[in-house]
Amino acid sequence: MVLDESQFSQPTGLVRGKREPRHSGVLLEGLVSFYATVTGYIGYQTLACLEAAVGQLQTGGWLDDRQRWQSDGRVIEYGRIETIDTDQLVLVIPPRLYRNLARITTQLFVGATDGVVVISSTDGCFDGWIERPLPAAAAPTPSAGAITSIEAIDLEAFARESGLGVKRFEQTSPDEYAAWQDRVCLAFHDTFDPPLPPDLADQPRD
């Protein structure tokens, strides 16, 4: 999955910085929008499970009535990759900055047998998350416990370990700080974004 820095830039008016991490596993629903770059894929055990996930995405406005991905109402072009494959039972999330999608990714793993979703955000935090299904996600009966594992990654620590340096918000101009955060997020996704399943990656869209 190829990304560029434009897919990490937050809409005007959002606060960049560092505070308590928020992600799909622990984020409480609220009135404030949460922007995050989200990408990955999820494989399902049945068509019904895939259709349920698609229904959630349409209800939330991330898919339109033609099942095209969109971000803040704008349709996302994703080359010739089929993002909803009803033969292989795979849902692909194109890499993009989405509003509130990171709040519900765990729900998308109901009925999942495979998959990886990678998330990063600078919206009031500076963190990344890697979410994968647990066996409970595909259990015949709904689980009251966790259905995914979520690995939280401090992007400041990632930047330091990756040789990208660390900039302090209070010691850097807003534009320079934002550009540094975008470079770190790009490196994070270059490192952790999953490859698409082989058959899917070569399959053209209709």
Side-chain angles (χ1 to χ4, degrees):
M1 297 184 183
V2 179
L3 295 87
D4 58 62
E5 290 188 18
S6 66
Q7 292 165 331
F8 305 99
S9 299
Q10 305 292 343
T12 302
L14 290 183
V15 177
R16 289 174 179 261
K18 182 71 176 174
R19 71 180 185 212
E20 188 65 23
R22 306 182 297 177
H23 61 80
S24 58
V26 299
L27 182 64
L28 298 178
E29 294 293 342
L31 298 177
V32 179
S33 294
F34 179 64
Y35 283 86
T37 296
V38 184
T39 187
Y41 75 93
I42 303 173
Y44 296 91
Q45 61 179 342
T46 66
L47 179 60
C49 293
L50 172 59
E51 290 176 338
V54 169
Q56 289 188 68
L57 292 167
Q58 288 182 311
T59 299
W62 299 289
L63 289 175
D64 66 12
D65 56 2
R66 294 172 57 187
Q67 297 186 353
R68 297 177 302 178
W69 282 92
Q70 56 184 6
S71 177
D72 280 345
R74 297 182 179 180
V75 173
I76 297 170
E77 298 295 336
Y78 193 41
R80 295 175 58 81
I81 297 298
E82 187 66 63
T83 59
I84 301 172
D85 190 314
T86 56
D87 293 325
Q88 298 190 66
L89 305 179
V90 174
L91 171 73
V92 174
I93 303 175
R96 194 67 55 173
L97 185 73
Y98 296 95
R99 180 167 61 89
N100 292 334
L101 179 58
R103 295 179 184 269
I104 62 99
T105 53
T106 296
Q107 300 172 33
L108 300 178
F109 279 92
V110 174
T113 57
D114 184 26
V116 183
V117 172
V118 180
I119 304 168
S120 67
S121 181
T122 62
D123 183 6
C125 64
F126 191 38
D127 296 278
W129 304 275
I130 304 172
E131 189 164 16
R132 299 179 175 88
L134 294 172
T141 56
S143 172
I147 64 169
T148 66
S149 66
I150 300 175
E151 179 184 0
I153 297 175
D154 183 321
L155 291 181
E156 183 176 295
F158 172 81
R160 186 181 298 108
E161 294 166 1
S162 301
L164 297 172
V166 174
K167 294 187 181 295
R168 301 299 178 190
F169 180 78
E170 62 277 6
Q171 300 172 356
T172 311
S173 70
D175 288 346
E176 184 180 355
Y177 186 75
W180 169 73
Q181 286 191 314
D182 288 345
R183 288 194 299 273
V184 175
C185 287
L186 181 61
F188 169 75
H189 282 276
D190 281 346
T191 301
F192 292 106
D193 282 0
L196 294 176
D199 292 342
L200 190 69
D202 296 332
Q203 183 178 23
R205 298 182 64 178
D206 295 332

